[in-house]
């Protein structure tokens, strides 16, 4: 175990829970250590801490254990959440300046409530792109989150703080959100596992909305087992999120059997290979070989689906922001503001067209899944670009980093399919992830494929090189 | 060709006419475009138009929009 406040900690969430249950440490010690790491966070992953709450909950868990009262499976495990999740008593800033004066949240978001009920101890809130609109987490107000594998590079976004906190050993478990790729892109660039579940599987109640028809929430972790456990603990209907109606279907107990059985795997070609950096395609090949995948599977309409998601996003998001865009446009991050303003000016018919195309593309994907259990695709176009890097080359053409990092994730979230982003095992090289895409409501198949790869050593969350700790923060 | 008039008009813009369209829309919405925002907004609006053209041209605007299920 890491002494409080010194080294970063790379144990899994379940290892931390076992250490506490078996008396090798206490929940209080773990909470103190996680808070100490957060106060010297070298990645700018955190934006707020909830120390008092964390220590009080940890002490209650220790008291339960001392009295032989039952505790949850994550009892005493520190976790943190993207700062768009409501935390009782904390203002939900959603990465913005606009919301810094908003009233503190009256209740925890449902996902936070469910992890807390399982014994996980919330220690703080994490950096993100403003209002979740971006793939870089170069936040104009809170600064950039740095990639634990190379502090000069971005963590990806918009859940960059969530990915960096797990990759960098600050906490073993975090929550993020994914509208167009905001879990999968940072998971890929930081070399950790991320799960974007089926649209409607996990409650978004208490997560500040970006594009309600596309928003998902999900976990980051350093192992498939942790990812599956956190996912299972957050499942179940929530009357406060109209999309979240499905009964819980626990995945973890089924993973082993599915991972040991036959899997029909395809590698998406066409749009999902255009412009990818060579090392991204090499990483994908490693995974495809391990799963004996069929190459070059076409998903018709993917380019159009990406365009539809690209258009639906600002037009729908602008509805929510129109009053603030009118009253205080210069308080927005410029990179976000100008896209929202464009969305406000575009006709609503653009969003309607994007909604009309959605079932067309979903049905095309359903037909492809008649022949496959999972589909593979790169999670990002490239490894992590540098902080402040505006352009990169795709197919020898300079293109915007911000606009293109999510090119391969957007078509998939547009139709709400579940995806595990898994870090390809490339020791000593910049992290690259793959998307393991399953049919709707079949998260367990994507998780099982990831488990098979993890057991074979094909995917793994690497410990980053040592970094100097940051200045101690209050 | 898009059958919705607003969509058809938007898709028919070119990069030279986006600015006038944006000014008209902004006025209709009561939305001021501060000078700092203008270039970026117009660039993004032009990009939206190009992207919309890739999927919206052949859709039936009269067809109902379903409540989407994955």
């Amino acid at each position: 175990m890491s002494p409080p406040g010194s080294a970063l900690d790379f144990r899994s969430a379940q290892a931390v829970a076992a250490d506490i249950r078996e008396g090798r440490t206490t929940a209080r010690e773990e909470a103190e250590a996680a808070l100490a790491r957060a106060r010297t966070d070298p990645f700018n992953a955190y934006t707020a801490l909830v120390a008092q709450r964390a220590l009080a909950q940890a002490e209650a868990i220790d008291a339960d254990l001392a009295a032989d009262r039952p505790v949850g499976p994550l009892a005493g495990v520190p976790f943190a959440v993207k700062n768009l999740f409501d935390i009782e008593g904390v203002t939900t800033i959603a990465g913005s300046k606009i919301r810094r004066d908003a009233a503190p949240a009256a209740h925890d978001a449902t996902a936070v409530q469910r992890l807390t009920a399982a014994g996980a101890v919330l220690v703080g809130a994490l950096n993100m792109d403003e209002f979740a609109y971006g793939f870089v987490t170069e936040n104009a107000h809170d600064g950039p989150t740095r990639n634990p594998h190379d502090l000069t590079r971005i963590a990806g976004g918009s859940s960059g703080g969530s990915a960096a906190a797990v990759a960098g050993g600050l906490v073993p478990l975090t929550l993020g959100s994914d509208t167009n790729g905001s879990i999968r892109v940072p998971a890929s660039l930081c070399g950790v596992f991320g799960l974007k579940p089926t649209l409607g599987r996990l409650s978004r109640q208490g997560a500040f909305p970006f594009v309600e028809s596309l928003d998902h929430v999900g976990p980051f972790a350093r192992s498939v087992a942790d990812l599956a456990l956190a996912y299972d603990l957050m499942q179940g209907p929530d009357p406060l999120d109209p999309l979240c109606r499905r009964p819980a279907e626990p995945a973890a107990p089924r993973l082993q059997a599915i991972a040991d059985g036959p899997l029909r795997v395809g590698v998406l070609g066409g749009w999902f290979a255009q412009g990818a950096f060579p090392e991204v395609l090499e990483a994908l090949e490693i995974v495809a070989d391990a799963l004996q995948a069929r190459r070059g599977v076409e998903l018709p309409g993917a380019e159009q689906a990406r365009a539809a998601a690209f258009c639906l996003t600002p037009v729908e998001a602008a509805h929510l922001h129109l009053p603030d865009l009118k009253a205080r446009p210069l308080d927005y991050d410029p990179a976000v503001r100008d896209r929202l303003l464009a969305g406000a000016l575009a006709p609503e018919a653009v969003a309607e067209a994007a909604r009309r195309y959605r079932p067309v593309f979903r049905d095309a994907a359903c037909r492809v899944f008649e022949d496959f259990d999972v589909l593979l695709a790169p999670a990002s176009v490239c490894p992590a670009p540098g902080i402040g890097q505006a352009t990169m080359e795709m197919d020898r053409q300079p293109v915007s980093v911000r606009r293109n990092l999510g090119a391969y994730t957007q078509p998939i979230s547009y139709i709400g399919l579940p995806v595990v982003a898994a870090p390809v095992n490339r020791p000593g090289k910049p992290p690259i992830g793959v998307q393991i895409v399953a049919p709707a409501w079949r998260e367990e198949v994507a998780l099982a494929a990831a488990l098979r790869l993890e057991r074979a050593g094909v995917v793994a969350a690497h410990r980053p090189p040592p970094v100097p700790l940051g200045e101690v923060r209050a | 060709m898009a059958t919705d008039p607003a969509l058809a008009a938007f898709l028919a813009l070119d990069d030279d006419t986006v600015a006038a369209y944006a000014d008209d829309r902004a006025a209709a919405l009561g939305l001021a475009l501060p000078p700092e925002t203008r270039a970026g907004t117009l660039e993004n609006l032009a990009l939206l138009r190009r992207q919309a053209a890739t999927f919206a041209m052949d859709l039936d605007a009269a067809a109902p929009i379903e409540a989407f299920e994955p």
Side-chain angles (χ1 to χ4, degrees):
Chain A
M1 190 189 82
S2 308
S6 58
L8 303 168
D9 186 344
F10 295 93
R11 288 170 298 160
S12 71
Q14 292 180 73
V16 174
D19 284 346
I20 293 168
R21 270 196 315 273
E22 294 162 17
R24 291 185 288 275
T25 180
T26 67
R28 165 103 195 182
E29 286 173 347
E30 292 296 334
E32 285 177 341
L35 288 165
R37 291 192 294 272
R39 290 190 180 106
T40 55
D41 161 19
F43 317 118
N44 194 33
Y46 279 97
T47 55
L49 299 180
V50 287
Q52 203 171 359
R53 165 183 170 146
L55 295 174
Q57 190 194 348
E59 286 172 2
I61 289 166
D62 287 334
D64 285 342
L65 285 167
D68 275 337
R69 288 190 289 269
V71 295
L74 288 177
V77 175
F79 79 109
V81 298
K82 188 175 185 176
N83 70 32
L84 57 63
F85 286 91
D86 282 352
I87 299 171
E88 183 179 346
V90 175
T91 295
T92 307
I93 61 174
S96 71
K97 177 180 178 183
I98 298 273
R99 288 194 45 81
R100 298 216 176 201
D101 298 328
H107 307 285
D108 287 348
T110 295
V112 176
Q113 286 177 26
R114 290 180 176 178
L115 287 184
T116 302
V121 175
L122 183 69
V123 296
L126 299 161
N127 202 7
M128 57 181 282
D129 286 288
E130 187 181 65
F131 292 119
Y133 203 171
F135 292 118
V136 293
T137 312
E138 295 186 71
N139 186 290
H141 318 295
D142 293 310
T145 292
R146 298 181 179 280
N147 192 310
H149 291 268
D150 181 343
L151 299 184
T152 69
R153 296 186 178 275
I154 63 169
S158 63
S159 309
S162 304
V166 169
L170 300 178
V171 278
L173 179 65
T174 60
L175 295 183
S177 66
D178 188 319
T179 301
N180 283 300
S182 286
I183 288 174
R184 293 161 286 161
V185 170
S188 173
L189 301 191
C190 288
V192 296
F193 293 90
L195 171 64
K196 184 205 79 62
T198 308
L199 180 70
R201 172 71 87 177
L202 298 183
S203 170
R204 295 101 37 93
Q205 186 277 327
F208 193 84
F210 172 27
V211 182
E212 286 206 62
S213 62
L214 299 175
D215 289 343
H216 309 66
V217 302
F220 291 84
R222 289 193 290 269
S223 73
V224 175
D226 280 357
L227 200 68
L229 176 60
Y231 161 67
D232 282 351
L233 291 168
M234 291 187 287
Q235 284 193 53
D238 182 356
L240 298 176
D241 178 351
L243 286 190
C244 185
R245 302 184 297 269
R246 203 159 174 108
E249 297 170 306
R254 294 181 282 163
L255 294 192
Q256 193 92 1
I258 300 170
D260 289 339
L263 282 175
R264 301 170 301 160
V265 182
V267 180
L268 289 173
W271 172 256
F272 296 94
Q274 286 178 25
F277 281 33
E279 56 267 51
V280 169
L281 296 177
E282 288 167 18
L284 182 64
E285 275 297 301
I286 294 169
V287 174
D289 283 346
L291 293 175
Q292 298 177 300
R294 191 205 302 176
R295 303 328 196 252
V297 176
E298 284 297 322
L299 178 47
E303 180 177 5
Q304 290 80 1
R306 192 272 178 141
F310 192 96
C311 291
L312 180 58
T313 295
V315 177
E316 189 173 318
H319 288 295
L320 177 66
H321 289 281
L322 194 54
D324 285 324
L325 288 170
K326 287 180 177 179
R328 45 192 298 201
L330 300 184
D331 284 341
Y332 281 84
D333 181 333
V336 172
R337 175 198 65 211
D338 294 351
R339 286 182 288 174
L340 289 176
L341 283 168
L345 297 176
E348 178 62 21
V350 168
E352 290 172 1
R355 294 185 189 106
R356 277 200 178 85
Y357 187 66
R358 221 170 166 191
V360 175
F361 185 60
R362 174 201 59 200
D363 294 347
C366 284
R367 287 191 288 275
V368 174
F369 274 117
E370 290 172 3
D371 295 325
F372 297 98
D373 299 304
V374 292
L375 297 168
L376 304 177
S380 57
V381 170
C382 55
I387 290 173
Q389 181 181 332
T391 60
M392 60 184 178
E393 281 203 352
M394 286 175 69
D395 290 333
R396 300 182 182 172
Q397 298 294 319
V399 298
S400 161
V401 166
R402 288 174 182 263
R403 285 182 188 153
N404 289 283
L405 270 178
Y408 305 143
T409 53
Q410 283 181 283
I412 308 299
S413 35
Y414 174 63
I415 50 173
L417 298 180
V419 187
V420 171
V424 182
N425 190 357
R426 305 164 72 238
K429 295 179 179 175
I432 290 173
V434 294
Q435 294 187 87
I436 304 170
V437 186
W441 311 111
R442 298 301 308 277
E443 285 85 348
E444 75 280 5
V445 183
L447 287 161
L451 179 63
R452 182 191 286 186
L453 292 165
E454 185 182 41
R455 289 194 312 210
V458 175
V459 301
H462 281 287
R463 186 182 294 219
V467 292
L469 298 178
E471 291 179 14
V472 176
R473 296 192 301 192
Chain B
M1 191 62 196
T3 52
D4 179 277
L7 181 59
F10 183 63
L11 295 179
L13 297 173
D14 58 37
D15 288 356
D16 293 334
T17 52
V18 161
Y21 174 88
D23 289 337
D24 287 348
R25 283 280 295 161
L29 290 167
L31 178 64
L33 289 181
E36 299 92 326
T37 72
R38 188 169 176 81
T41 301
L42 295 183
E43 182 189 348
N44 278 288
L45 191 59
L47 180 61
L48 281 181
R49 182 190 61 75
R50 291 194 294 273
Q51 290 286 315
T54 69
F55 69 90
M57 298 291 271
D58 300 323
L59 292 170
D60 178 4
I65 300 173
E66 70 172 61
F68 182 77
E69 292 284 342

